[in-house]
Amino acid sequence: MELEPQKMKRKHFNDEEKAFQWYLKSAEGGNITGQKILGDCYHNGIETTKDEEKAFQWYLKSAEGGNITGQKILGDCYHNGIGTTKDEEKAFQWYLKSAEGGNNYAQTLLENYYEIKKTKDEEKIFHRYLKSAKEGNADGQNKLGYCYLLGIGTTKDDENAFRWYIKSAEEGNSGGQYSLANCYFYGIDTTKDEKKALR
């Protein structure tokens, strides 16, 4: 019995295993977006075994090929030691490359990075942002979320990052709104929801 074209289409698009195989082919063929998505698959264990080292390798290929999102994520890998040795200098270089390519999230990370580097005391920075956030400062709330997201001066905590991004976004802070959109887009302590991210 033949499937109707519409049912066939739905069946193919809902098949994550096939999607993974095609991303793999695309990545192996040199497609930088496919390489970044394959990195996501290995990082999150989507239709494959979770493997941070393989995720890192695919993010690296994507970043070296010029994918600005791959460059930002590679910066995260170096910053947090995901699939590689923690290296702040390399993290900074990849954030910079991504920001220069136009990645707004990397630009925000870079601004915060410069401020932290100037202070040279992550705990002091964290407590300054915490005080500011508790006083209702929307920019401080966004920056506090950033500290929790990357574990700067405190324990890495996606739940607290998400909570402070919401507060900042609701206060009308454009940085907080962008950070919150990224949480929805990448599924950081919330269900991945690209529609909410693009609102």
Side-chain angles (χ1 to χ4, degrees):
M1 182 181 167
E2 236 182 351
L3 284 171
E4 292 170 30
Q6 191 136 15
K7 285 183 182 171
M8 236 170 99
K9 204 174 186 183
R10 262 200 310 269
K11 185 174 188 272
H12 287 297
F13 280 113
N14 288 329
D15 193 331
E16 287 183 349
E17 192 179 336
K18 279 188 181 164
F20 175 81
Q21 291 307 318
W22 285 111
Y23 284 137
L24 181 60
K25 278 185 189 293
S26 164
E28 287 172 341
N31 183 287
I32 59 174
T33 304
Q35 291 166 345
K36 182 262 171 201
I37 292 170
L38 198 61
D40 292 341
C41 290
Y42 280 112
H43 182 71
N44 298 306
I46 300 167
E47 285 307 316
T48 187
T49 306
K50 187 172 175 164
D51 187 329
E52 289 185 348
E53 285 180 22
K54 278 188 182 172
F56 172 80
Q57 289 306 319
W58 285 112
Y59 288 141
L60 179 62
K61 284 180 189 292
S62 172
E64 287 174 340
N67 184 293
I68 61 170
T69 306
Q71 291 166 346
K72 184 263 169 200
I73 294 171
L74 191 64
D76 291 343
C77 289
Y78 279 118
H79 182 82
N80 295 304
I82 298 166
T84 188
T85 308
K86 202 170 175 179
D87 187 327
E88 293 296 328
E89 189 55 42
K90 284 184 179 172
F92 177 80
Q93 292 306 321
W94 284 110
Y95 286 146
L96 185 60
K97 247 186 205 309
S98 180
E100 286 169 348
N103 185 301
N104 291 332
Y105 197 49
Q107 287 167 353
T108 303
L109 290 172
L110 218 53
E111 287 167 20
N112 292 332
Y113 214 91
Y114 278 123
E115 193 167 344
I116 289 160
K117 287 290 172 198
K118 272 191 282 181
T119 314
K120 292 182 182 171
D121 187 340
E122 291 188 1
E123 279 187 43
K124 194 180 277 182
I125 275 274
F126 171 76
H127 287 294
R128 185 175 351 135
Y129 291 157
L130 181 63
K131 185 176 187 290
S132 171
K134 285 183 174 177
E135 288 171 355
N137 180 295
D139 188 50
Q141 291 165 344
N142 178 41
K143 288 179 176 179
L144 184 63
Y146 168 79
C147 286
Y148 278 119
L149 184 70
L150 295 178
I152 295 166
T154 187
T155 307
K156 185 172 162 40
D157 186 336
D158 288 352
E159 187 179 343
N160 263 323
F162 182 68
R163 188 168 61 88
W164 284 108
Y165 286 150
I166 287 174
K167 282 184 184 291
S168 176
E170 287 174 347
E171 288 293 322
N173 181 276
S174 60
Q177 291 163 348
Y178 188 79
S179 298
L180 186 61
N182 273 302
C183 287
Y184 282 117
F185 193 80
Y186 293 107
I188 298 166
D189 198 59
T190 186
T191 307
K192 191 170 176 175
D193 189 334
E194 291 179 10
K195 285 182 186 170
K196 275 190 183 174
L198 298 171
R199 272 190 208 156

